[in-house]
Amino acid sequence: SETSVYALLHSGKIERKTWHGSAVTLPGLPDTAFEMIAADEDDRVWGLSGGKLVRVAPSVQPEPCVQGGINAAASHGVVFVVKADGTVTRVEGGACSREPTPDGVTWMAVRDGRATVVARGVAWDRRADGSYEPLPGLTVLRGGERRAVDIAQVARSKYFLWARDVEGHVFVLSEP
């Protein structure tokens, strides 16, 4: 979001904090605890609860076509849900379709239409034609030995791509 930060509370509720310091707990469905949240640049917010996608803001509405979600990312009203089977579902305007990603996706990040997925420890970037291309591998130097890094998660900001490896180290990659 450009104007707020969203936090997933231990209770499973979603809290919106503005840059001015105010905090508001967003409404959800009764007896719904969220495990994952996604917010887009336009302050629309979705949550995953029990693998099901629910739009939380600006209004509460279940998205019935998504089951088995483990991660979600959103950009300009489009939500991408990573499912437990390693596929990605694109949700736009209430319609769902399969996003053509590499096999075995475990994490996804999207911002301003730019998407990056993690599959089998490798980060893949979506090209203008919709295909995915692996990003150059990351390596670390430890004890005089260079070794490849397995990526676990990625995040996008306006100017950077962030990657976290399976050991918890964070890498900042600049955008071209």
Side-chain angles (χ1 to χ4, degrees):
S1 168
E2 297 285 332
T3 60
S4 304
V5 173
Y6 294 91
L8 182 59
L9 305 176
H10 290 288
S11 65
K13 300 292 182 192
I14 301 170
E15 185 174 79
R16 177 181 187 236
K17 296 182 181 191
T18 66
W19 300 115
H20 305 294
S22 63
V24 175
T25 301
L26 299 178
L29 296 172
D31 302 319
T32 299
F34 295 105
E35 299 99 24
M36 179 66 63
I37 59 175
D40 73 6
E41 302 86 348
D42 305 311
D43 276 331
R44 288 175 283 223
V45 182
W46 292 264
L48 283 172
S49 177
K52 297 177 183 176
L53 184 66
V54 177
R55 187 179 69 201
V56 179
S59 61
V60 179
Q61 176 183 335
E63 300 281 2
C65 58
V66 176
Q67 303 286 327
I70 59 170
N71 172 249
S75 180
H76 297 295
V78 179
V79 186
F80 298 89
V81 179
V82 176
K83 297 171 71 174
D85 65 3
T87 62
V88 176
T89 298
R90 177 188 178 107
V91 182
E92 184 173 13
C96 293
S97 60
R98 180 147 189 252
E99 176 75 2
T101 59
D103 292 333
V105 173
T106 55
W107 196 265
M108 184 167 195
V110 63
R111 165 120 185 159
D112 292 324
R114 302 239 6 230
T116 304
V117 299
V118 175
R120 299 175 310 281
V122 176
W124 299 70
D125 218 17
R126 186 175 62 198
R127 301 172 54 91
D129 66 3
S131 66
Y132 282 81
E133 176 178 278
L135 294 175
L138 298 174
T139 58
V140 293
L141 184 63
R142 291 220 179 96
E145 186 177 311
R146 185 176 303 275
R147 65 179 181 82
V149 171
D150 283 336
I151 302 297
Q153 296 174 328
V154 289
R156 285 195 160 279
S157 69
K158 198 169 197 168
Y159 303 106
F160 299 102
L161 174 65
W162 304 72
R164 187 177 74 77
D165 70 6
V166 295
E167 296 176 0
H169 303 104
V170 176
F171 302 85
V172 181
L173 310 167
S174 64
E175 293 286 355

PDB file of all heavy atoms in Angstrom, residues 145-159:
ATOM      1  N   GLU A 145      34.635 -20.421   0.967  1.00  0.00           N
ATOM      2  CA  GLU A 145      33.941 -21.284   0.005  1.00  0.00           C
ATOM      3  C   GLU A 145      32.675 -20.598  -0.493  1.00  0.00           C
ATOM      4  O   GLU A 145      31.883 -20.072   0.280  1.00  0.00           O
ATOM      5  CB  GLU A 145      33.571 -22.602   0.698  1.00  0.00           C
ATOM      6  CG  GLU A 145      32.975 -23.632  -0.214  1.00  0.00           C
ATOM      7  CD  GLU A 145      32.704 -24.927   0.544  1.00  0.00           C
ATOM      8  OE1 GLU A 145      33.601 -25.402   1.254  1.00  0.00           O
ATOM      9  OE2 GLU A 145      31.572 -25.432   0.419  1.00  0.00           O
ATOM     10  N   ARG A 146      32.499 -20.590  -1.812  1.00  0.00           N
ATOM     11  CA  ARG A 146      31.318 -19.984  -2.424  1.00  0.00           C
ATOM     12  C   ARG A 146      30.261 -21.072  -2.620  1.00  0.00           C
ATOM     13  O   ARG A 146      30.547 -22.150  -3.101  1.00  0.00           O
ATOM     14  CB  ARG A 146      31.693 -19.374  -3.760  1.00  0.00           C
ATOM     15  CG  ARG A 146      30.552 -18.619  -4.419  1.00  0.00           C
ATOM     16  CD  ARG A 146      30.985 -17.948  -5.701  1.00  0.00           C
ATOM     17  NE  ARG A 146      32.104 -17.029  -5.526  1.00  0.00           N
ATOM     18  CZ  ARG A 146      31.985 -15.750  -5.148  1.00  0.00           C
ATOM     19  NH1 ARG A 146      30.810 -15.254  -4.889  1.00  0.00           N
ATOM     20  NH2 ARG A 146      33.049 -14.979  -5.034  1.00  0.00           N
ATOM     21  N   ARG A 147      29.014 -20.761  -2.194  1.00  0.00           N
ATOM     22  CA  ARG A 147      27.948 -21.739  -2.414  1.00  0.00           C
ATOM     23  C   ARG A 147      26.661 -21.049  -2.823  1.00  0.00           C
ATOM     24  O   ARG A 147      26.436 -19.875  -2.503  1.00  0.00           O
ATOM     25  CB  ARG A 147      27.730 -22.610  -1.182  1.00  0.00           C
ATOM     26  CG  ARG A 147      27.238 -21.894   0.037  1.00  0.00           C
ATOM     27  CD  ARG A 147      27.031 -22.877   1.185  1.00  0.00           C
ATOM     28  NE  ARG A 147      26.528 -22.219   2.360  1.00  0.00           N
ATOM     29  CZ  ARG A 147      25.248 -21.915   2.566  1.00  0.00           C
ATOM     30  NH1 ARG A 147      24.351 -22.222   1.660  1.00  0.00           N
ATOM     31  NH2 ARG A 147      24.868 -21.310   3.659  1.00  0.00           N
ATOM     32  N   ALA A 148      25.830 -21.781  -3.541  1.00  0.00           N
ATOM     33  CA  ALA A 148      24.556 -21.260  -4.028  1.00  0.00           C
ATOM     34  C   ALA A 148      23.576 -21.118  -2.866  1.00  0.00           C
ATOM     35  O   ALA A 148      23.650 -21.844  -1.873  1.00  0.00           O
ATOM     36  CB  ALA A 148      23.975 -22.189  -5.087  1.00  0.00           C
ATOM     37  N   VAL A 149      22.654 -20.180  -3.006  1.00  0.00           N
ATOM     38  CA  VAL A 149      21.648 -19.893  -1.994  1.00  0.00           C
ATOM     39  C   VAL A 149      20.296 -20.381  -2.489  1.00  0.00           C
ATOM     40  O   VAL A 149      19.920 -20.126  -3.633  1.00  0.00           O
ATOM     41  CB  VAL A 149      21.592 -18.362  -1.733  1.00  0.00           C
ATOM     42  CG1 VAL A 149      20.424 -17.995  -0.861  1.00  0.00           C
ATOM     43  CG2 VAL A 149      22.891 -17.877  -1.144  1.00  0.00           C
ATOM     44  N   ASP A 150      19.557 -21.088  -1.632  1.00  0.00           N
ATOM     45  CA  ASP A 150      18.173 -21.470  -1.940  1.00  0.00           C
ATOM     46  C   ASP A 150      17.250 -20.374  -1.426  1.00  0.00           C
ATOM     47  O   ASP A 150      17.241 -20.069  -0.229  1.00  0.00           O
ATOM     48  CB  ASP A 150      17.800 -22.791  -1.277  1.00  0.00           C
ATOM     49  CG  ASP A 150      18.386 -23.988  -1.993  1.00  0.00           C
ATOM     50  OD1 ASP A 150      18.680 -23.876  -3.193  1.00  0.00           O
ATOM     51  OD2 ASP A 150      18.541 -25.038  -1.350  1.00  0.00           O
ATOM     52  N   ILE A 151      16.472 -19.779  -2.327  1.00  0.00           N
ATOM     53  CA  ILE A 151      15.545 -18.707  -1.966  1.00  0.00           C
ATOM     54  C   ILE A 151      14.278 -19.323  -1.360  1.00  0.00           C
ATOM     55  O   ILE A 151      13.742 -20.306  -1.865  1.00  0.00           O
ATOM     56  CB  ILE A 151      15.169 -17.866  -3.205  1.00  0.00           C
ATOM     57  CG1 ILE A 151      16.434 -17.280  -3.861  1.00  0.00           C
ATOM     58  CG2 ILE A 151      14.175 -16.769  -2.856  1.00  0.00           C
ATOM     59  CD1 ILE A 151      17.199 -16.329  -2.993  1.00  0.00           C
ATOM     60  N   ALA A 152      13.793 -18.713  -0.266  1.00  0.00           N
ATOM     61  CA  ALA A 152      12.557 -19.161   0.376  1.00  0.00           C
ATOM     62  C   ALA A 152      11.409 -18.190   0.109  1.00  0.00           C
ATOM     63  O   ALA A 152      10.278 -18.619  -0.120  1.00  0.00           O
ATOM     64  CB  ALA A 152      12.759 -19.303   1.886  1.00  0.00           C
ATOM     65  N   GLN A 153      11.690 -16.885   0.157  1.00  0.00           N
ATOM     66  CA  GLN A 153      10.655 -15.870  -0.006  1.00  0.00           C
ATOM     67  C   GLN A 153      11.208 -14.685  -0.787  1.00  0.00           C
ATOM     68  O   GLN A 153      12.413 -14.430  -0.757  1.00  0.00           O
ATOM     69  CB  GLN A 153      10.157 -15.361   1.350  1.00  0.00           C
ATOM     70  CG  GLN A 153       9.487 -16.403   2.187  1.00  0.00           C
ATOM     71  CD  GLN A 153       9.158 -15.868   3.577  1.00  0.00           C
ATOM     72  OE1 GLN A 153       9.861 -15.046   4.120  1.00  0.00           O
ATOM     73  NE2 GLN A 153       8.073 -16.369   4.139  1.00  0.00           N
ATOM     74  N   VAL A 154      10.298 -13.954  -1.432  1.00  0.00           N
ATOM     75  CA  VAL A 154      10.649 -12.703  -2.095  1.00  0.00           C
ATOM     76  C   VAL A 154       9.615 -11.648  -1.727  1.00  0.00           C
ATOM     77  O   VAL A 154       8.487 -11.971  -1.345  1.00  0.00           O
ATOM     78  CB  VAL A 154      10.720 -12.847  -3.634  1.00  0.00           C
ATOM     79  CG1 VAL A 154      11.926 -13.669  -4.049  1.00  0.00           C
ATOM     80  CG2 VAL A 154       9.444 -13.432  -4.210  1.00  0.00           C
ATOM     81  N   ALA A 155       9.999 -10.386  -1.828  1.00  0.00           N
ATOM     82  CA  ALA A 155       9.087  -9.265  -1.615  1.00  0.00           C
ATOM     83  C   ALA A 155       9.484  -8.168  -2.596  1.00  0.00           C
ATOM     84  O   ALA A 155      10.647  -8.060  -2.977  1.00  0.00           O
ATOM     85  CB  ALA A 155       9.176  -8.754  -0.183  1.00  0.00           C
ATOM     86  N   ARG A 156       8.526  -7.380  -3.012  1.00  0.00           N
ATOM     87  CA  ARG A 156       8.779  -6.286  -3.948  1.00  0.00           C
ATOM     88  C   ARG A 156       8.431  -4.966  -3.289  1.00  0.00           C
ATOM     89  O   ARG A 156       7.419  -4.834  -2.607  1.00  0.00           O
ATOM     90  CB  ARG A 156       7.918  -6.438  -5.200  1.00  0.00           C
ATOM     91  CG  ARG A 156       8.401  -7.508  -6.124  1.00  0.00           C
ATOM     92  CD  ARG A 156       7.740  -7.349  -7.495  1.00  0.00           C
ATOM     93  NE  ARG A 156       8.507  -8.033  -8.491  1.00  0.00           N
ATOM     94  CZ  ARG A 156       9.610  -7.557  -9.074  1.00  0.00           C
ATOM     95  NH1 ARG A 156      10.033  -6.367  -8.779  1.00  0.00           N
ATOM     96  NH2 ARG A 156      10.260  -8.265  -9.959  1.00  0.00           N
ATOM     97  N   SER A 157       9.292  -3.979  -3.511  1.00  0.00           N
ATOM     98  CA  SER A 157       8.963  -2.604  -3.165  1.00  0.00           C
ATOM     99  C   SER A 157       8.968  -1.838  -4.478  1.00  0.00           C
ATOM    100  O   SER A 157       9.133  -2.429  -5.547  1.00  0.00           O
ATOM    101  CB  SER A 157       9.986  -2.030  -2.171  1.00  0.00           C
ATOM    102  OG  SER A 157      11.233  -1.851  -2.797  1.00  0.00           O
ATOM    103  N   LYS A 158       8.809  -0.545  -4.405  1.00  0.00           N
ATOM    104  CA  LYS A 158       8.747   0.245  -5.629  1.00  0.00           C
ATOM    105  C   LYS A 158      10.044   0.157  -6.429  1.00  0.00           C
ATOM    106  O   LYS A 158      10.020   0.176  -7.651  1.00  0.00           O
ATOM    107  CB  LYS A 158       8.433   1.691  -5.273  1.00  0.00           C
ATOM    108  CG  LYS A 158       7.924   2.502  -6.415  1.00  0.00           C
ATOM    109  CD  LYS A 158       7.378   3.825  -5.923  1.00  0.00           C
ATOM    110  CE  LYS A 158       6.513   4.441  -6.985  1.00  0.00           C
ATOM    111  NZ  LYS A 158       5.746   5.560  -6.480  1.00  0.00           N
ATOM    112  N   TYR A 159      11.182   0.037  -5.742  1.00  0.00           N
ATOM    113  CA  TYR A 159      12.464   0.070  -6.436  1.00  0.00           C
ATOM    114  C   TYR A 159      13.333  -1.173  -6.260  1.00  0.00           C
ATOM    115  O   TYR A 159      14.359  -1.292  -6.913  1.00  0.00           O
ATOM    116  CB  TYR A 159      13.269   1.289  -5.972  1.00  0.00           C
ATOM    117  CG  TYR A 159      12.523   2.582  -6.199  1.00  0.00           C
ATOM    118  CD1 TYR A 159      11.960   3.278  -5.141  1.00  0.00           C
ATOM    119  CD2 TYR A 159      12.357   3.082  -7.489  1.00  0.00           C
ATOM    120  CE1 TYR A 159      11.271   4.455  -5.358  1.00  0.00           C
ATOM    121  CE2 TYR A 159      11.665   4.251  -7.711  1.00  0.00           C
ATOM    122  CZ  TYR A 159      11.125   4.943  -6.636  1.00  0.00           C
ATOM    123  OH  TYR A 159      10.432   6.091  -6.852  1.00  0.00           O
TER     124      TYR A 159
END
